[in-house]
Amino acid sequence: MTSNEIVYLVSLGGFAALIALILIGSALLGLVRIVAHFLAQHYAYRERRAQERQQQDDLATCRAIDALPTVPHPLEPS
């Protein structure tokens, strides 16, 4: 092999390594974005579930208060 062929071969290898690094970096960036999206969805789901549980508890409290027996006030006319 001539020295020019070796330089071309080495530059081709370097270019291939550069392309591979760009592809791997892009794949990792995409993976990080996907994981971040799923984590955001998971946290939003947990927040919605907590709000629904709080609403159910509030409704149960209101119903329990409404179910309490009441007596007329002694100063109010019947």
Side-chain angles (χ1 to χ4, degrees):
M1 291 180 78
T2 66
S3 62
N4 284 341
E5 290 174 339
I6 292 173
V7 169
Y8 292 142
L9 186 61
V10 169
S11 64
L12 183 62
F15 184 68
L18 180 65
I19 296 294
L21 285 175
I22 290 172
L23 289 176
I24 289 171
S26 297
L28 289 176
L29 182 63
L31 182 63
V32 166
R33 290 186 68 177
I34 289 171
V35 169
H37 175 73
F38 281 125
L39 282 175
Q41 292 296 320
H42 175 69
Y43 291 141
Y45 171 75
R46 288 178 64 181
E47 182 67 28
R48 279 194 313 271
R49 290 290 299 145
Q51 287 177 352
E52 288 174 5
R53 272 188 248 111
Q54 184 64 43
Q55 288 174 351
Q56 291 296 325
D57 291 344
D58 291 346
L59 183 61
T61 302
C62 290
R63 287 183 177 160
I65 291 171
D66 191 43
L68 289 173
T70 58
V71 294
H73 193 274
L75 298 179
E76 288 183 5
S78 298

